[in-house]
Amino acid sequence: MADVIKKATRESYGEALAALADKYPNLVVLDADLAAATKTGVFKKACPERFFDCGIAEANMMGVAAGLAASGKIPFASTFAMFAAGRAYEIVRNSIGYPHLNVKIGATHAGISVGEDGATHQCNEDIALMRTIPGMTIINPADDVEAKAAIEAAINFDGPVYLRFGRLAAPIFNDAGTYKFELGKGIILREGKDVTIIASGLMVSEAVEAAKQLESDGIDARVINIHTIKPIDKDIIVKAASETGLIVTVEEHSVIGGLGSAVADVVTESKPVPVVKIGVNDEYGHSGPAAELLKEFGLCADNIAATVKKAMANK
Amino acid sequence: MDATTRKQLQATACKVRMGVIEGTFNAKSGHPGGSMSISDLLTYLYFAKMHVDPQNPDMADRDRLVLSKGHCAPALYSVLAQRGFFPYDELKSLRHIGAMLQGHPCIHIPGVDMSSGSLGQGISTACGMALAGKLDNAAYKVYAVLGDGEIEEGQVWEAAMFAAHYKLDNLIAIVDNNGLQIDGPITEVCSPEPITDKFAAFGWHVITMDAHDFDSIDAAFNEAETIVGKPVAIIQKSTKGKGVSFMENQVGWHGKAPNKEEYDKAMAELTAQLSELEG
């Protein structure tokens, strides 16, 4: 993969907002003193009159976003996932979710790939928290192409959307010319009949890599990219359960309440087959380079392949 | 304010209070005390100040009101019913299963501009509306009604900082300073005083008014309209439970519904006040 171009989806976020500023005059961007990190600074430079820094006050920022949306604007409230979903959870629930307002939450620095900042800033719980809010759409894009398409799709969707972006540069594997983002629709990246690996966000390219490794071991793994975690694509999951009889989920998030739980909810109701979850196992992260942390926590192709082989043996 | 207008507002406020009693009695729950302390304020705003149209509750250029102290929804619902946004009888099914009128304000109710109730959040949503008004060069005003206990929430001061920073002079926050919160007097629970100094220090223009004197209310809002470049905080000195003798200044009436005997007594008092005003 030496020639693969990489870009962090937070970069995609800032670039997409700036690129879409003229097309969507109601687009307004809020940040909480992290514009340099969330990359909304790119939008600020392109469109300063529609950028508002709320200072280090995430609760108020979410409320301001709600009020803007109630008055016809399309606000993107931007901060780290830890503060967007964690600190401001109750404001997101009551001021945005309950009135079902058209607020887009741009949450960057999700997961342990935040790296050196350590556990306080590594949010592995945001998907679980946001899933509990009725009517909340959750999108976790896998690469630059998907992230940019998801942002425009979120603008054109009327309702609250939580967009999850990463700090770490991710391989760009989608083709910008042909890629189509469909809200709520999973994407089969690779057909397979023995097992299905369902991944999201940064883990999608690792899942594809794992499937290649498994091929050499004679295991034919299907790979599905679930970019929209809520509402989740039930059809693609049930079909995979029926046709492959075993599902392994991979996410840069707690195994409690995230993609794996969402997939298991569908499978247990409609087509019970074993679901093995790879993610952060009910523990905090810690400081270190992102790539090393991902390996340590098993969020890498090697561990995905090993987990699939073990699950296949028990199938 | 001329005498006729004053008397009309007083009579309407009395009917609004009757609606509060009607609603909380039928709901067997709710918050009459703080609803009664803002009944004059809401009557003034919806009948003498705000540009609203009951036939077109979502019109773009309307003035907006966020009841940040959302537990006082009975007063908001009652004034909206009096103003013609929905029938008075809706108040009788307040908080019932399947009813339109939820325990706390819900944006889907005609005339309600924002869901609220979790304290400290309404002032932020009001800031967002005021900011949208600035972006659109719209003439509308945004009113946020807060409790004096509510301002113990830290988010209120995040919003206070934001509103001053962005010079939201189309935002008017009214703090209902009745001095009582659930656990007792605000000065004993965890004092938010000095309230006027705090808002002034955050860069707001601060006005105090008598919450139960329409001339004082009118003067405060007329002054507020002259302020440029700053948000305005109106601290209204009020009486919790105002209008019903046995509810006035009683912390126990914060979140308790009247029983049948209390309902009859309260309605009799308010009916007598109304007869005097209309007589």
Side-chain angles (χ1 to χ4, degrees):
Chain A
M1 293 184 52
D3 56 343
V4 173
I5 300 165
K6 290 185 173 188
K7 186 189 279 187
T9 49
R10 62 173 168 145
E11 304 271 3
S12 320
Y13 179 51
E15 289 171 15
L17 291 175
L20 296 167
D22 288 344
K23 189 174 173 185
Y24 298 99
N26 283 331
L27 184 65
V28 176
V29 176
L30 308 175
D31 208 301
D33 193 40
L34 288 168
T38 65
K39 301 300 172 186
T40 62
V42 182
F43 177 89
K44 181 186 179 181
K45 202 172 169 192
C47 190
E49 68 279 9
R50 279 187 272 145
F51 175 86
F52 299 93
D53 208 318
C54 299
I56 310 166
E58 296 81 7
N60 179 59
M61 176 174 71
M62 293 302 174
V64 168
L68 284 163
S71 310
K73 301 298 174 193
I74 307 171
F76 276 75
S78 323
T79 182
F80 291 178
M82 191 72 252
F83 315 128
R87 188 184 194 95
Y89 172 79
E90 201 253 18
I91 295 92
V92 173
R93 182 201 185 268
N94 277 324
S95 287
I96 296 171
Y98 177 50
H100 199 70
L101 289 167
N102 195 24
V103 172
K104 316 305 168 187
I105 300 168
T108 69
H109 294 63
I112 62 159
S113 61
V114 162
E116 290 81 353
D117 275 354
T120 52
H121 287 57
Q122 292 164 339
C123 188
N124 299 315
E125 304 85 11
D126 54 327
I127 295 171
L129 288 163
M130 290 296 111
R131 278 183 70 217
T132 63
I133 296 176
M136 179 64 74
T137 293
I138 303 168
I139 305 174
N140 185 28
D143 74 352
D144 176 63
V145 173
E146 189 162 274
K148 285 175 174 164
I151 289 157
E152 185 156 17
I155 292 172
N156 288 303
F157 173 82
D158 186 18
V161 180
Y162 181 85
L163 291 143
R164 187 182 210 242
F165 304 113
R167 173 178 185 263
L168 183 68
I172 302 174
F173 61 89
N174 284 302
D175 176 44
T178 58
Y179 179 82
K180 277 207 165 39
F181 181 89
E182 270 189 276
L183 196 69
K185 293 282 178 202
I187 301 169
I188 297 176
L189 291 174
R190 182 191 169 100
E191 285 293 355
K193 61 183 187 328
D194 297 332
V195 58
T196 303
I197 306 171
I198 300 181
S200 190
L202 189 62
M203 291 299 103
V204 173
S205 57
E206 296 294 326
V208 171
E209 193 58 32
K212 284 180 196 162
Q213 292 181 20
L214 290 164
E215 190 176 16
S216 59
D217 291 315
I219 295 171
D220 186 19
R222 183 178 301 186
V223 178
I224 296 175
N225 169 16
I226 293 287
H227 51 64
T228 309
I229 294 175
K230 188 182 175 186
I232 202 159
D233 186 344
K234 291 181 181 171
D235 292 345
I236 206 169
I237 295 167
V238 172
K239 191 160 182 278
S242 300
E243 293 176 358
T244 69
L246 173 64
I247 291 174
V248 174
T249 63
V250 199
E251 61 195 307
E252 194 202 357
H253 181 274
S254 170
V255 291
I256 299 169
L259 171 73
S261 295
V263 168
D265 286 352
V266 173
V267 170
T268 48
E269 270 188 20
S270 303
K271 181 67 192 170
V273 300
V275 175
V276 177
K277 296 188 283 186
I278 300 173
V280 178
N281 293 310
D282 198 19
E283 62 186 318
Y284 293 100
H286 53 76
S287 292
E292 289 178 35
L293 284 171
L294 290 168
K295 279 204 175 68
E296 181 189 329
F297 282 81
L299 301 172
C300 56
D302 289 351
N303 184 53
I304 297 168
T307 305
V308 167
K309 277 191 249 180
K310 199 172 153 196
M312 285 291 294
N314 297 329
K315 192 176 172 183
Chain B
M1 181 179 288
D2 62 74
T4 313
T5 307
R6 186 188 310 115
K7 212 162 194 182
Q8 277 172 352
L9 287 171
Q10 286 169 334
T12 304
C14 195
K15 290 177 192 166
V16 167
R17 289 190 167 93
M18 291 166 92
V20 169
I21 299 300
E22 191 72 58
T24 53
F25 168 67
N26 282 288
K28 298 185 175 64
S29 66
H31 301 81
S35 296
M36 307 289 265
S37 62
I38 60 165
S39 290
D40 296 312
L41 168 74
L42 294 187
T43 299
Y44 173 82
L45 287 173
Y46 279 94
F47 282 84
K49 185 56 69 180
M50 288 170 67
H51 173 55
V52 290
D53 178 3
Q55 303 306 314
N56 186 13
D58 297 326
M59 69 178 178
D61 66 341
R62 74 188 186 282
D63 291 325
R64 283 125 167 106
L65 185 139
V66 180
L67 187 64
S68 199
K69 48 176 277 180
H71 56 283
C72 297
L76 178 61
Y77 296 157
S78 188
V79 81
L80 290 175
Q82 287 297 335
R83 191 70 173 79
F85 281 89
F86 47 78
Y88 181 86
D89 274 358
E90 289 286 347
L91 298 175
K92 294 178 182 170
S93 61
L94 169 68
R95 290 175 166 241
H96 291 191
I97 286 178
M100 177 177 76
L101 300 182
Q102 296 297 297
H104 289 81
C106 172
I107 199 168
H108 304 302
I109 296 167
V112 174
D113 293 313
M114 179 56 76
S115 303
S116 60
S118 178
L119 296 177
Q121 298 189 22
I123 178 116
S124 294
T125 58
C127 281
M129 292 176 184
L131 183 62
K134 289 284 178 193
L135 279 164
D136 290 338
N137 290 313
Y140 66 75
K141 298 271 185 199
V142 183
Y143 301 93
V145 181
L146 295 97
D148 52 5
E150 177 183 10
I151 65 170
E152 291 159 5
E153 287 281 5
Q155 186 179 341
V156 170
W157 302 104
E158 293 185 5
M161 185 169 56
F162 180 90
H165 183 80
Y166 287 105
K167 302 182 169 59
L168 301 180
D169 53 15
N170 53 350
L171 174 69
I172 298 169
I174 304 99
V175 179
D176 182 30
N177 190 197
N178 61 35
L180 298 173
Q181 59 187 122
I182 297 178
D183 282 351
I186 58 166
T187 49
E188 290 177 19
V189 174
C190 189
S191 183
E193 295 284 2
I195 298 172
T196 52
D197 292 353
K198 281 195 174 72
F199 276 97
F202 273 76
W204 291 52
H205 180 82
V206 185
I207 303 168
T208 55
M209 73 180 192
D210 179 339
H212 309 304
D213 173 346
F214 283 105
D215 290 304
S216 176
I217 296 172
D218 194 42
F221 282 93
N222 288 340
E223 179 183 335
E225 281 176 356
T226 67
I227 305 305
V228 177
K230 283 179 166 192
V232 176
I234 297 177
I235 317 303
Q236 69 158 19
K237 300 288 176 191
S238 65
T239 301
K240 199 156 187 162
K242 177 72 181 179
V244 172
S245 60
F246 60 89
M247 288 184 172
E248 289 191 0
N249 277 320
Q250 298 299 313
V251 74
W253 284 102
H254 173 88
K256 185 178 78 164
N259 60 26
K260 181 69 171 73
E261 191 187 337
E262 290 158 342
Y263 167 80
D264 287 339
K265 200 175 164 210
M267 287 306 243
E269 283 189 22
L270 291 166
T271 304
Q273 289 169 32
L274 188 60
S275 306
E276 198 173 311
L277 287 162
E278 288 181 336

